[in-house]
Amino acid sequence: MTPDIAGHHGSSSIYAERTIHATPQEVFALLADPARHHLTEPRDWVRGSLEEQPAPITEVGQVFGMEMFNTHRGGRYEMHNRVTVLEPDRAIAWAPGQRTADGEIAAGGWFWRYDLEPATDGTRVRLTYDWAETPQETIEKIGGMPAVSERYLGKSLAALAAAVEPGES
């Protein structure tokens, strides 16, 4: 078992790292498929795509919707994520937000980023959660930041590993 590494990038981001025993292409394929994002969720927070047949993530600026559930947020809610980084088999990131009445996406000010690096026994994955751009009003509404812990990020990477490692799915 490869030990997880976790830490702070500064005062507004946390990360976790793990070696996953799958190729960068296999890891990236799951991350670029919104229909499979629930497989990276250790707490059943991400329930699934809002679309019955969601399109794979193929470009920066693309938006994909996810059904979410959190009892502290009143149960079911929706997030609309704008892709901010897309380097096939290397990196992918998105900024979650809410759809406004006029159909625009109002980003919350945080992002999720996965960086993939080939390793001799698979892929070294770094998951970063950054809330540097989150307005104070949103931080207060959420109840403080970070909304998740480094431990949560490590569990998310363990779930990702379980979904892509041979013999695990």
Side-chain angles (χ1 to χ4, degrees):
M1 170 80 108
T2 304
D4 292 337
I5 298 172
H8 286 266
H9 283 299
S11 62
S12 63
S13 69
I14 56 176
Y15 70 91
E17 291 183 4
R18 178 187 182 104
T19 298
I20 294 178
H21 304 289
T23 68
Q25 295 80 11
E26 291 167 323
V27 175
F28 189 84
L30 186 145
L31 296 172
D33 182 357
R36 297 171 64 199
H37 279 197
H38 67 283
L39 298 174
T40 68
E41 174 57 48
R43 291 193 304 206
D44 196 30
W45 200 349
V46 177
R47 293 290 172 93
S49 173
L50 294 176
E51 296 82 29
E52 190 172 316
Q53 295 290 318
I57 297 169
T58 58
E59 62 186 334
V60 170
Q62 183 175 346
V63 174
F64 63 96
M66 300 303 293
E67 178 182 355
M68 310 289 287
F69 186 89
N70 186 315
T71 53
H72 300 298
R73 292 207 52 196
R76 185 197 180 278
Y77 64 101
E78 296 179 0
M79 294 301 289
H80 297 272
N81 305 288
R82 183 172 311 281
V83 178
T84 57
V85 173
L86 188 68
E87 299 172 29
D89 306 331
R90 299 286 300 153
I92 188 168
W94 54 84
Q98 303 278 288
R99 193 168 296 282
T100 64
D102 63 1
E104 296 297 314
I105 305 298
W110 62 90
F111 66 82
W112 300 96
R113 179 179 172 128
Y114 292 83
D115 289 288
L116 314 178
E117 182 178 319
T120 56
D121 52 351
T123 304
R124 191 70 183 165
V125 180
R126 176 180 277 217
L127 170 55
T128 301
Y129 172 65
D130 185 300
W131 61 94
E133 300 297 319
T134 306
Q136 188 60 38
E137 176 183 317
T138 302
I139 292 171
E140 290 168 8
K141 182 179 178 183
I142 290 172
M145 291 299 247
V148 299
S149 67
E150 293 157 341
R151 184 170 180 236
Y152 172 86
L153 296 182
K155 287 182 177 183
S156 183
L157 290 177
L160 173 62
V164 298
E165 288 179 345
E168 298 295 325
S169 52

